[in-house]
Amino acid sequence: MPSTELPSVPPANVLPRVAAVRVAEGERLRTVELRGVILSVRSRPPAREGLPPALYVHGLGGSSLNWSALMPLLDDVVDSEAVDLPGFGDSPPPDDGDYSLTAHARAVIRYLDATGRGPVHLFGNSLGGAVATRVAAVRPDLVRTLTLVSPALPELRVQRTAVPTGLLAVPGVAPLFTRITREWTAEQRVKGVIRLCYGDPAQVSPEAFRNAVQEMERRLRLPYFWDAMARSARGLVNAYTLGGQQGLWRQAERVLAPTLLVYGGRDQLVGFRMAQRSARAFRDSRLVTLPDAGHVAMMEYPGTVALAFRELLADTTDSADEGDTGAPGAQGAPGAPADAGGGTTAESARG
């Protein structure tokens, strides 16, 4: 019986050349070689020297581009860098083909250790939120604060809209999906992703849509694109099954860094009901809920997320100056109503 696994990909040094990754105005892109992985890192020059470093980690199928809307809103308070996880964005596959959650976290840790940028203000979305949680739990010395946007933490009852993405983890599904969708255009694929990830797809500007289509066309030319997607999805699902000290919820409880949690009320991939559980799990947390946001609030409402982080940063700085780490389990962004939902609304934040 023929194998249903995706074929092995060629080494990074013999991969075909594809179109260049888009670099937004003011951004820089560089490559960092580490043991076993080569990472592409997107950065913006800070408004002034000496600002604390920040690192952003994207979700499944995303890239460092997912943070391009947020980073310029924070360039006066942090020195921002966003990493492409191995096999995503402009980073080639890892040498060992390991796309487990532990491997992604290890790549982030190796980068921080090699560059000496830690401790950082660590941001993560979706899969990147799970990666960031593990990094903060096992290497607290590398993390000043933790900001998680719709983190992919284990759910007992998965939303039906999230099932197709989870099915990518099943051996044989990814190659089957590629055959079924062979005739789909990049525009059709992008429209599907936007419907899945945005609370209001109409928010995506024509320019942003064109950029997303160009990026999709570029990714589809990569021979390892679906392999990276499928294996990373499988790695995340496998992480959900771990118990004991390796369980993600147990690791969330071990995080010492002040944590900002951002959840969207229209998220079709991470259940909105998980917001309160996360707020209870992370010992020093505050929760911001955005009823109109979907799965990528930092792209949909970057100003709201930036404001919430600024308040976290200000409070953390004040607490450090006073020699106090803050009260564990605090919820609600300062200055915002801490209602029964544990957060603010998109409307009040925008107003």
Side-chain angles (χ1 to χ4, degrees):
M1 182 176 177
S3 172
T4 56
E5 288 286 342
L6 290 173
S8 59
V9 298
N13 61 352
V14 296
L15 290 175
R17 298 293 299 173
V18 297
V21 172
R22 185 173 66 87
V23 181
E25 184 178 353
E27 292 181 346
R28 301 169 182 168
L29 207 61
R30 77 180 192 280
T31 297
V32 178
E33 294 191 25
L34 303 168
R35 180 163 52 91
V37 293
I38 299 174
L39 298 181
S40 177
V41 180
R42 185 179 303 269
S43 63
R44 294 186 62 88
R48 63 182 184 278
E49 294 295 325
L51 291 178
L55 186 68
Y56 306 77
V57 187
H58 62 81
L60 181 67
S63 75
S64 56
L65 276 167
N66 294 162
W67 301 100
S68 288
L70 179 63
M71 288 198 296
L73 302 182
L74 298 175
D75 61 8
D76 62 324
V77 290
V78 292
D79 182 354
S80 292
E81 289 187 344
V83 65
D84 286 329
L85 291 173
F88 294 93
D90 209 31
S91 294
D95 290 351
D96 59 4
D98 188 351
Y99 288 98
S100 66
L101 187 70
T102 296
H104 283 316
R106 184 167 57 239
V108 172
I109 290 171
R110 283 180 180 171
Y111 173 71
L112 291 175
D113 279 340
T115 58
R117 281 178 60 85
V120 298
H121 295 286
L122 187 60
F123 292 71
N125 168 236
S126 192
L127 166 66
V131 170
T133 297
R134 178 153 292 180
V135 172
V138 302
R139 288 293 303 275
D141 59 304
L142 294 178
V143 182
R144 297 185 186 211
T145 66
L146 185 62
T147 297
L148 304 177
V149 181
S150 295
L153 299 175
E155 299 184 48
L156 291 178
R157 292 185 296 109
V158 178
Q159 297 182 102
R160 283 179 294 179
T161 47
V163 169
T165 302
L167 285 175
L168 283 175
V170 179
V173 169
L176 175 63
F177 183 74
T178 58
R179 289 196 296 272
I180 293 174
T181 63
R182 185 176 293 115
E183 302 303 320
W184 289 11
T185 66
E187 288 86 353
Q188 289 174 308
R189 296 176 189 273
V190 169
K191 286 179 180 178
V193 171
I194 290 174
R195 285 195 298 269
L196 184 64
C197 293
Y198 276 70
D200 179 10
Q203 285 194 87
V204 180
S205 69
E207 179 183 8
F209 180 77
R210 287 193 299 270
N211 289 336
V213 170
Q214 291 176 1
E215 174 62 12
M216 179 63 72
E217 291 172 340
R218 186 193 72 82
R219 294 182 186 184
L220 291 173
R221 295 190 185 101
L222 296 170
Y224 56 83
F225 172 71
W226 285 112
D227 186 67
M229 285 282 290
R231 293 179 190 271
S232 291
R234 193 174 309 156
L236 185 61
V237 171
N238 288 342
Y240 284 5
T241 66
L242 294 177
Q245 295 301 315
Q246 293 301 310
L248 279 170
W249 285 114
R250 181 69 63 84
Q251 291 191 323
E253 294 170 354
R254 289 166 51 193
V255 171
L256 300 177
T259 301
L260 168 64
L261 302 165
V262 181
Y263 280 82
R266 296 182 179 178
D267 195 331
Q268 299 183 64
L269 292 170
V270 170
F272 184 66
R273 63 182 178 275
M274 303 305 294
Q276 288 295 333
R277 179 173 181 179
S278 293
R280 291 191 298 268
F282 290 90
R283 66 178 70 189
D284 184 6
S285 70
R286 59 184 66 198
L287 174 61
V288 173
T289 59
L290 305 179
D292 294 332
H295 191 59
V296 286
M298 73 286 185
M299 301 172 72
E300 301 171 84
Y301 298 99
T304 305
V305 176
L307 176 61
F309 173 74
R310 285 174 177 273
E311 293 171 336
L312 171 70
L313 183 62
D315 284 0
T316 302
T317 302
D318 290 344
S319 295
D321 290 343
E322 296 170 3
D324 180 18
T325 57
Q331 293 184 22
D339 57 15
T344 100
T345 66
E347 289 75 12
S348 65
R350 283 200 301 270

